[in-house]
Amino acid sequence: MTQKAKKVIKFNKNLERLVDDMFYAMYEHGGVGLAAPQIGFSKQIFVINCDTERLTTSEMVFINPKIISYNGKQDGQEGCLSFPGMFVERSRPETVTVEAQDIHGKKFTITVNGLAARAVLHETEHLLAKEFDSL
Ligand SMILES: [Zn+2]
């Protein structure tokens, strides 16, 4: 985590291709989330899929995400595809509400919990160079 990634302005075919590549890289490395800077693109995009069966219907794309609020606390191990095989104990909020844009640029707000909340916070940290620990 170093610099803040750039906001996405153009929602076009190149963006779709990048998101496809991100899912590919994420599955290839067995992760539940991946941020664009991790594959060399300094853009505010991350993808997650917290479904144990990896159903494509569970794929989620967050572009220009903003954490609106977070609540509660969960303890657990957290890994990162940039540091394969390394897990650290990290307390996180249990629930998080995030506002973002989808692949077409449409704004949405979603509240997630558990592993998805952990993944959203972890990936947002990759993009915004800001940390979100439990309160
Ligand atoms: Zn990571």
Side-chain angles (χ1 to χ4, degrees), residues 45-62:
I45 310 165
F46 71 82
V47 298
I48 67 171
N49 187 342
C50 294
D51 190 293
T52 48
E53 286 173 35
R54 307 308 220 152
L55 299 174
T56 50
T57 47
S58 303
E59 291 182 344
M60 293 174 79
V61 180
F62 297 80

Side-chain angles (χ1 to χ4, degrees), residues 38 80 122 126:
Q38 291 182 276
C80 177
H122 179 101
H126 275 295

Side-chain angles (χ1 to χ4, degrees), residues 19-55:
V19 166
D20 282 348
D21 288 349
M22 288 172 65
F23 275 114
Y24 182 82
M26 183 183 85
Y27 293 134
E28 192 79 343
H29 295 96
V32 296
L34 184 85
Q38 291 182 276
I39 58 164
F41 293 87
S42 179
K43 297 211 161 151
Q44 291 188 23
I45 310 165
F46 71 82
V47 298
I48 67 171
N49 187 342
C50 294
D51 190 293
T52 48
E53 286 173 35
R54 307 308 220 152
L55 299 174

